[in-house]
Amino acid sequence: AETKFRTRYGAAVIAVTREGKRVYEHPGKVILQAGDVLLLEAGPTFIERNTENDRSFALLSEVAGSAPPRLKLFWPALILTIVMLAVTTAGLTKLIIAALITSGIMIAIGVLSQQEARDAINWDVYVTIASAFGLGTALTNSGLAGLVANVLVSLGK
C-alpha cells in the first residue's frame, strides 16, 4: 500500500492515526480509511504537485530546514569517523586535531557543506567559555579572586 502511495503522491507514510489513536501496524501495511491522519515525509514540491488533491492534504506544519537523508554519503562519513577514532586511539594525534582534519575532509568531499559545518558549531558555548577566561583573568589581575578565596578558606576553618 505504501509503495503505491509513495509512487502516486511522492511522499512516504511515517505514521497513521485513526479516530485520534495511533495505528501501530507498519505504515506500509495499513489499509487506509476515510478520516485517517497521515504523518508524511515529503519533499518541498509535494504541495505543488498535489494541488488537485488540495482537499485530501492539509499542511499542518513544515519542518524548517529539513532535507532527505543523503544515504550515499553515509559510508564515507562512517569510514572517516572510524579512521579518526582509530588514529586517536593509537595515540598518533590528539582528538581535536583528528576531528578538525576529518571535518575538513568531510567538507572537501561533500559529506558536509560549509554552511552545515558553520551551523553545527554552537557559538554560544564558545562565547561563554571565552568570556569566562576573560572574567577569570580580570578577577585574578584585580586581586578580587584572591580576596574571595581567602574569605572562603577562612569561612571553612
Side-chain angles (χ1 to χ4, degrees):
E2 183 181 339
T3 307
K4 293 177 186 175
F5 186 92
R6 186 184 305 222
T7 303
R8 182 172 178 182
Y9 297 107
V13 178
I14 305 298
V16 178
T17 301
R18 181 173 293 143
E19 298 176 0
K21 296 181 181 170
R22 180 163 181 208
V23 177
Y24 286 98
E25 191 174 345
H26 185 279
K29 296 180 180 173
V30 173
I31 297 173
L32 298 176
Q33 298 177 6
D36 284 352
V37 177
L38 308 178
L39 175 63
L40 302 176
E41 174 72 34
T45 60
F46 174 77
I47 296 296
E48 296 167 12
R49 285 188 291 154
N50 294 295
T51 52
E52 71 275 1
N53 299 311
D54 59 338
R55 292 172 34 157
S56 298
F57 298 105
L59 179 62
L60 299 180
S61 66
E62 185 176 352
V63 179
S66 68
R70 297 173 292 194
L71 295 178
K72 67 178 181 164
L73 301 173
F74 172 76
W75 291 109
L78 181 64
I79 291 168
L80 284 168
T81 303
I82 290 171
V83 169
M84 174 192 73
L85 293 172
V87 166
T88 303
T89 304
L92 300 175
T93 187
K94 293 182 179 181
L95 180 59
I96 186 71
I97 303 299
L100 289 172
I101 291 170
T102 302
S103 301
I105 294 171
M106 285 185 179
I107 292 169
I109 66 173
V111 171
L112 282 174
S113 70
Q114 290 179 8
Q115 186 62 47
E116 288 171 326
R118 278 191 294 275
D119 291 344
I121 297 172
N122 191 345
W123 290 107
D124 293 343
V125 172
Y126 291 110
V127 169
T128 302
I129 291 170
S131 299
F133 281 128
L135 188 59
T137 302
L139 290 172
T140 302
N141 290 343
S142 69
L144 186 59
L147 180 66
V148 170
N150 289 334
V151 168
L152 291 174
V153 168
S154 65
L155 287 175
K157 289 183 178 180

